[in-house]
Amino acid sequence: MAYRSFKLSDLKEKFGIHQTTASLFDSAVPLLPPSDLLVQLLKLARTSPLTTEKAISEAVIYPILREIKVLNKDVIELFSGEILDADRSQGLNGECDFIFAKAPGSKELTAPILQVFEAKQGEIDKPKPIAQVSAQLIGSRVFNQKHNQIIEPLYGVCTSGSEWLFLKLEGNTIIVDDTSYFINELPKLLGILQHIINLNSTSVLP
């Protein structure tokens, strides 16, 4: 078993993890206006044939995540396609699409704080992608504990590029946000990503 093989029932049976739905972010989360560069990159993306997950990842998802990385270069590192090998005996291993880690400048993955999973269009709220990103969050917790890093809660997000759905692992509960965020409300989306970074560290932003 690996992250991609998990079902929601596996999380309960193997780890005692329960799932619920709630509002994760209130209206007090500040908006974060995008840079001119990000606006231009996303405008160019709309002129491209975004017909594959790879194309969407490169043209839409990565530029948004890089924006947050640049704003917090002394706080976090952004990893892409990294293997998160937490505990093979429990199936907590496999490749992760993107990870924000509390490890600025590091070339080696340490202290994951947010997992980003690329789901297919229209599938971000389906059981399979939610189970996969939930398993990655459990893997992140085990990985952090092995490296003497206690980081709670941990956040994840399923995204199709245009739609983003956030999750939180707190205690033995996976909380799925009851609201999805869309790329046409980019300042809100960026504000939430920045809020998650702020929860785990001192940010360069107020």
Side-chain angles (χ1 to χ4, degrees), residues 23-32 177 181 187-196 198-199 206:
S23 177
L24 291 183
F25 310 104
D26 59 33
S27 57
V29 174
L31 302 180
L32 178 57
D177 200 354
Y181 299 91
K188 182 66 173 179
L189 174 59
L190 292 172
I192 289 172
L193 289 168
Q194 181 61 50
H195 173 70
I196 292 170
N198 291 348
L199 291 174

Side-chain angles (χ1 to χ4, degrees), residues 4-16:
R4 66 179 180 274
S5 302
F6 275 91
K7 300 177 182 177
L8 291 175
S9 59
D10 296 325
L11 304 179
K12 184 176 181 179
E13 292 172 7
K14 291 175 67 70
F15 306 108

Side-chain angles (χ1 to χ4, degrees), residues 148-201:
N148 298 314
Q149 295 277 350
I150 306 303
I151 301 174
E152 291 280 344
L154 292 169
Y155 285 85
V157 56
C158 296
T159 178
S160 63
S162 60
E163 184 178 3
W164 299 60
L165 178 66
F166 288 87
L167 298 82
K168 179 170 71 170
L169 173 61
E170 190 166 33
N172 290 326
T173 303
I174 288 286
I175 305 170
V176 181
D177 200 354
D178 60 10
T179 302
S180 293
Y181 299 91
F182 294 85
I183 199 170
N184 60 1
E185 47 185 347
L186 191 55
K188 182 66 173 179
L189 174 59
L190 292 172
I192 289 172
L193 289 168
Q194 181 61 50
H195 173 70
I196 292 170
I197 303 305
N198 291 348
L199 291 174
N200 287 282
S201 51

Side-chain angles (χ1 to χ4, degrees), residues 50 52-65 80 97-98 118 160-161:
L50 301 180
T52 67
E53 292 179 27
K54 184 174 185 294
I56 293 171
S57 176
E58 293 175 347
V60 179
I61 299 172
Y62 177 69
I64 290 172
L65 299 178
S80 174
D97 292 327
F98 294 101
E118 300 168 12
S160 63

Side-chain angles (χ1 to χ4, degrees), residues 43-147:
K43 186 179 294 185
L44 284 172
R46 291 197 294 270
T47 67
S48 304
L50 301 180
T51 56
T52 67
E53 292 179 27
K54 184 174 185 294
I56 293 171
S57 176
E58 293 175 347
V60 179
I61 299 172
Y62 177 69
I64 290 172
L65 299 178
R66 183 177 58 189
E67 178 99 341
I68 298 298
K69 154 61 183 168
V70 170
L71 289 171
N72 299 274
K73 62 182 183 295
D74 296 326
V75 177
I76 58 171
E77 190 56 69
L78 173 61
F79 292 90
S80 174
E82 198 75 18
I83 300 297
L84 181 62
D85 198 350
D87 188 338
R88 285 179 175 269
S89 67
Q90 299 191 83
L92 298 175
N93 63 283
E95 183 177 321
C96 300
D97 292 327
F98 294 101
I99 298 174
F100 275 134
K102 193 176 177 181
S106 176
K107 303 301 181 185
E108 182 179 354
L109 178 61
T110 57
I113 60 175
L114 185 144
Q115 293 278 356
V116 181
F117 172 69
E118 300 168 12
K120 294 181 180 179
Q121 194 75 31
E123 292 190 0
I124 69 166
D125 59 349
K126 301 298 183 184
K128 185 174 181 179
I130 288 177
Q132 180 164 339
V133 75
S134 297
Q136 290 175 350
L137 289 175
I138 295 168
S140 293
R141 173 187 280 171
V142 171
F143 184 89
N144 287 339
Q145 290 171 342
K146 285 185 173 181
H147 291 81

